[in-house]
Amino acid sequence: MGDTVLPGEMPVEKSPANHLTDPAFLADLRRQMLKFAVLQLDNEAQAEDAVQEALVGALKNVASFERKAALKTWVFAILKHKITDLLRYRQRWVDVEKHRELPDEESLPSVFDTRGFWHQDDRPNRWAQPVEAIDDAHFWRVFEACLEDLPPAQGRVFMMREFIELDSDEICQSVDITTSNLHVLLHRARLRLRRCLEMHWFCEDEAL
Amino acid sequence: MMNCEQATRLMSDSRERTLTLRERAAIKVHNLLCDGCKNFNVQVQDLGQIARRYARERDDSQAKTSHKPEQPRSTE
């Protein structure tokens, strides 16, 4: 009896067309996309729509993807385009007269002393082989955790800038802040992110 | 001399705009005396590379390393 394997139970990689009909894979993918979209758009309903459209778009070309990872990367690429479109559309409706103050939670991380010099423990160390780290799956989990740890506005503008590669003007208009506020947020995001990565990843390779 | 907060701010800004000659000179001078900021300057670029790579192929590397060969099913 053990030799009989039903076609549906074959322990081989499913054919590409099945990836998006695999409920567990789809649910997981949807959840990740939604999280990404909500972070970018700060609007649950628009995020839901963007994710839905990206998935529908992906279904049309699903047969050309052999591996789940490649399909996922591609679905995210579609999603990013949708988000960029939405953000560009939004900026036409921006109320230009008002520029919000930065909330307290978006503060500078306490890495500098009162004179503005590094605290001993927070002074950046040299990272050993940062490029090699990025072939390690565990590194990406650390990176994701650090990213989620950023205050929301810092996380959002960092992703707009470094993931979607919008320029300063586009970001300022879509989230309604001044260029100088944007640069302050990006500075803080980078200070936090590098500290987090150094603490949870690069410290292990530290030679000192 | 600039302090580290100001120096790192300029280094961060350099990802978004072209720094003036004076600003770049100020960073150079600061970094001669400050290893922390010198390292930060490299890491700002590293962060950009890492983020771009993450956005582009976030799952490829995971698929490669987490892939385990199927255990042959023992059927008695």
Side-chain angles (χ1 to χ4, degrees):
Chain A
M1 185 69 206
D3 283 356
T4 327
V5 181
L6 295 174
E9 293 173 341
M10 296 246 283
V12 292
E13 177 83 345
K14 289 182 177 172
S15 77
N18 286 340
H19 293 332
L20 286 185
T21 53
D22 173 351
F25 173 68
L26 189 61
D28 195 42
L29 181 63
R30 229 188 103 77
R31 191 181 45 75
Q32 289 177 32
M33 290 169 77
L34 200 57
K35 200 160 136 196
F36 181 82
V38 169
L39 193 60
Q40 294 297 321
L41 294 166
D42 199 20
N43 178 321
E44 198 108 11
Q46 284 192 337
E48 287 269 7
D49 287 350
V51 168
Q52 203 56 40
E53 282 176 39
L55 280 172
V56 169
L59 270 172
K60 289 180 195 157
N61 290 290
V62 71
S64 41
F65 291 91
E66 304 254 327
R67 292 171 46 226
K68 277 185 180 176
L71 174 64
K72 206 162 164 181
T73 305
W74 185 69
V75 173
F76 265 90
I78 299 181
L79 179 63
K80 276 183 270 173
H81 276 294
K82 300 257 177 237
I83 290 173
T84 311
D85 281 351
L86 276 170
L87 291 175
R88 292 206 165 115
Y89 178 76
R90 233 187 236 181
Q91 76 190 32
R92 292 184 218 137
W93 301 95
V94 158
D95 179 355
V96 271
E97 64 189 328
K98 244 193 303 179
H99 287 292
R100 277 176 271 141
E101 293 289 309
L102 300 177
D104 288 346
E105 59 172 2
E106 301 290 346
S107 64
L108 187 73
S110 55
V111 293
F112 300 118
D113 63 22
T114 47
R115 287 158 45 248
F117 292 92
W118 296 105
H119 284 305
Q120 183 74 35
D121 294 343
D122 291 312
R123 192 176 301 147
N125 288 298
R126 213 156 72 87
W127 288 354
Q129 304 163 327
V131 180
E132 274 154 48
I134 59 190
D135 282 327
D136 189 314
H138 181 58
F139 173 76
W140 292 120
R141 284 195 289 278
V142 172
F143 182 69
E144 276 175 353
C146 289
L147 206 58
E148 280 167 28
D149 222 33
L150 291 176
Q154 286 173 32
R156 199 175 318 132
V157 295
F158 181 81
M159 287 168 90
M160 285 177 169
R161 180 72 194 105
E162 300 281 24
F163 288 29
I164 308 185
E165 301 177 49
L166 297 176
D167 63 31
S168 290
D169 289 345
E170 290 176 307
I171 301 173
C172 286
Q173 298 209 23
S174 64
V175 298
D176 189 19
I177 53 174
T178 59
T179 308
S180 103
N181 272 357
L182 171 68
H183 289 182
V184 167
L185 284 176
L186 286 170
H187 178 217
R188 293 175 181 178
R190 287 170 177 138
L191 285 168
R192 281 178 199 273
L193 205 50
R194 69 140 299 281
R195 182 176 60 170
C196 183
L197 287 177
E198 185 161 312
M199 264 164 47
H200 299 289
W201 183 264
F202 290 108
C203 63
E204 293 167 359
D205 301 314
E206 197 183 315
L208 295 171
Chain B
M1 188 177 116
M2 282 190 302
N3 65 27
C4 301
E5 189 180 333
Q6 295 161 329
T8 55
R9 168 65 194 275
L10 285 182
M11 294 172 198
S12 173
D13 281 9
S14 75
R15 298 278 303 168
E16 280 75 57
R17 65 178 177 89
T18 312
L19 300 183
T20 65
L21 204 61
R22 184 188 288 259
E23 286 170 333
R24 273 179 287 153
I27 287 176
K28 268 210 175 118
V29 171
H30 181 97
N31 284 356
L32 282 176
L33 303 163
C34 179
D35 281 345
C37 287
K38 201 164 105 190
N39 292 331
F40 181 88
N41 202 23
V42 177
Q43 289 163 10
V44 161
Q45 310 304 324
D46 289 341
L47 283 179
Q49 269 196 326
I50 290 169
R52 243 149 252 211
R53 174 99 181 251
Y54 176 74
R56 260 203 317 269
E57 43 184 322
R58 43 195 282 148
D59 303 298
D60 283 356
S61 56
Q62 218 163 326
K64 260 180 243 155
T65 43
S66 68
H67 179 75
K68 292 187 193 100
E70 292 285 339
Q71 290 279 330
R73 223 191 292 173
S74 65
T75 49
E76 314 267 310

